[in-house]
């Protein structure tokens, strides 16, 4: 039985098949704030604090790639001051918590249409990635100005340019080639996607990569989503029958 402790938590890995690659849609900040009669910005702040906790827990559980949805290509449609607050919170998070991420051995990467972000945000992304390249325990991949359709649009343009330049023929295009033209081709597809706050949708998150992801939704709002629920999600994931269009292991053995 593999049990170990870290800062008053016990990570009990018995019976838990932890996903190597995990996606989390950090939703529900607004509702969390509303319940407390606070402005939405307070919810976003609480959500950012909770990300630090998720990183620590995932790192200690043995997750290798944690992709979190922080700002979608559709989130620009929110009021200007909310968008501004989210951008500034993003800058603040990495300024404030990078030493802790360093201590935890967490490398930071970004996925999304980063080139369209304001210059100072792009700088935070670049510096955060460079500063953390050597960290080995886990990769935190922040989906910022991310949209699954935007990512596919980008991949299509890259491939179409290669066809136009005569580097490849249309018949050479394969699923593998499309995967290789996603923003971060070396990051494995998420085995599990967790969405707090109850919505049963992907909201444009990792559309290509989530083809066979297990989905796990909880009613808890993101700022309240903690260690116990993460543990429950992993336990449920370990019991899922992932068939990938084939037969389950039991059926293959003729036992079902
Ligand atoms: C998630 O919380 C944060 C972002 C989408 C940036 P929301 O702001 O969507 O919170 P709800 O869904 O309104 O509660
Ligand atoms: C998804 O949440 C995006 C992020 C958490 C960053 P939204 O709140 O934007 O999604 P919808 O609008 O409920 O689909
Ligand atoms: Mg929301």
């Amino acid at each position: 039985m593999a049990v170990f402790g870290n800062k008053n938590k016990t990570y009990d890995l018995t019976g838990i098949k932890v996903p190597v690659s995990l996606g989390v849609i950090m939703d529900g900040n607004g509702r969390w704030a509303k319940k407390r009669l606070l402005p939405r910005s307070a919810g976003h702040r609480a959500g950012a604090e909770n990300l630090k906790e998720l990183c620590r827990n995932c790192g200690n559980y043995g997750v290798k790639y944690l992709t979190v949805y922080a700002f979608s290509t559709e989130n620009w449609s929110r009021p200007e001051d909310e968008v501004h607050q989210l951008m500034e919170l993003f800058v603040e998070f990495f300024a404030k918590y990078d030493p802790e991420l360093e201590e935890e051995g967490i490398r930071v990467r970004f996925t999304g249409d980063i080139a369209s972000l304001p210059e100072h945000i792009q700088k935070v992304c670049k510096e955060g990635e460079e500063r953390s390249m050597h960290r080995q325990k886990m990769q935190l991949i922040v989906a910022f100005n991310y949209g699954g359709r935007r990512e596919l649009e980008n991949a299509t343009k890259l491939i179409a340019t290669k066809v136009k330049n005569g580097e490849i023929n249309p018949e050479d295009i394969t699923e593998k080639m499309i995967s290789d033209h996603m923003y971060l081709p070396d990051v494995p597809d998420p085995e599990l996607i967790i969405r707090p706050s109850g919505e049963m949708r992907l909201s444009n998150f990792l559309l290509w990569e989530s083809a066979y992801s297990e989905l796990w939704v909880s009613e808890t709002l993101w700022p309240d989503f903690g260690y116990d629920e993460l543990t429950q999600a992993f336990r449920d994931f370990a019991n899922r029958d992932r068939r990938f269009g084939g037969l389950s292991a039991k059926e293959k053995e003729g036992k079902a």
Side-chain angles (χ1 to χ4, degrees):
M1 176 159 119
V3 180
F4 56 103
N6 175 299
K7 300 194 178 153
N8 50 36
K9 286 193 178 67
T10 302
Y11 298 87
D12 179 356
L13 297 168
T14 316
I16 295 189
K17 191 167 136 267
V18 172
V20 171
S21 184
L22 169 70
V24 177
I25 301 175
M26 303 188 292
D27 193 22
N29 297 348
R31 278 163 278 179
W32 183 93
K34 196 171 175 203
K35 256 173 62 181
R36 288 163 178 75
L37 307 175
L38 293 168
R40 291 178 62 82
S41 58
H44 293 316
R45 191 162 284 281
E49 293 289 324
N50 199 35
L51 172 58
K52 187 187 60 166
E53 193 60 24
L54 178 78
C55 288
R56 176 179 297 139
N57 289 334
C58 285
N60 287 337
Y61 261 133
V63 172
K64 291 293 163 204
Y65 303 86
L66 166 65
T67 306
V68 294
Y69 206 6
F71 190 89
S72 76
T73 47
E74 288 72 41
N75 287 147
W76 292 102
S77 65
R78 297 189 179 202
E80 211 180 303
D81 65 331
E82 181 168 348
V83 170
H84 179 74
Q85 281 157 6
L86 285 164
M87 295 285 152
E88 291 318 307
L89 200 56
F90 178 83
V91 175
E92 207 186 298
F93 179 88
F94 290 103
K96 195 166 153 195
Y97 292 128
D98 200 63
E100 288 186 47
L101 295 174
E102 166 78 35
E103 205 183 301
E104 298 284 337
I106 297 174
R107 178 178 169 192
V108 184
R109 298 173 80 185
F110 298 90
T111 185
D113 186 358
I114 305 300
S116 303
L117 287 164
E119 288 276 325
H120 75 290
I121 306 285
Q122 288 190 46
K123 194 162 167 265
V124 170
C125 297
K126 194 165 170 279
E127 288 175 358
E129 289 191 335
E130 284 172 0
R131 209 171 36 223
S132 69
M133 289 244 276
H134 61 283
R135 301 179 198 157
Q136 301 269 336
K137 191 166 165 186
M138 184 182 81
Q139 293 190 17
L140 166 66
I141 297 136
V142 184
F144 203 75
N145 197 21
Y146 176 87
R149 289 187 170 186
R150 183 77 55 90
E151 186 178 31
L152 281 161
E153 177 192 300
N154 187 61
T156 307
K157 280 180 182 151
L158 294 173
I159 294 169
T161 305
K162 288 186 181 169
V163 172
K164 188 178 154 207
N165 295 342
E167 290 168 47
I168 52 168
N169 294 312
E171 51 275 20
D172 298 334
I173 299 169
T174 59
E175 290 184 16
K176 164 86 171 62
M177 188 185 285
I178 297 171
S179 289
D180 288 344
H181 288 81
M182 292 290 136
Y183 292 133
L184 299 176
D186 62 303
V187 174
D189 292 346
E191 292 149 89
L192 174 67
I193 293 179
I194 295 176
R195 181 160 192 162
S197 89
E199 314 298 351
M200 303 271 189
R201 55 176 172 260
L202 286 172
S203 301
N204 208 6
F205 186 51
L206 303 178
L207 295 186
W208 176 264
E209 298 85 346
S210 65
Y212 267 101
S213 303
E214 294 296 322
L215 305 179
W216 196 89
V217 175
S218 99
E219 288 300 323
T220 306
L221 304 170
W222 164 247
D224 290 331
F225 184 94
Y227 166 80
D228 291 341
E229 267 191 295
L230 182 72
T231 304
Q232 190 55 49
F234 287 169
R235 286 196 188 286
D236 291 348
F237 170 74
N239 290 320
R240 296 272 178 99
D241 186 9
R242 303 190 76 205
R243 292 188 293 279
F244 299 99
L247 300 180
S248 68
K250 272 191 191 154
E251 280 165 331
K252 274 193 236 166
E253 288 165 22
K255 288 181 190 159

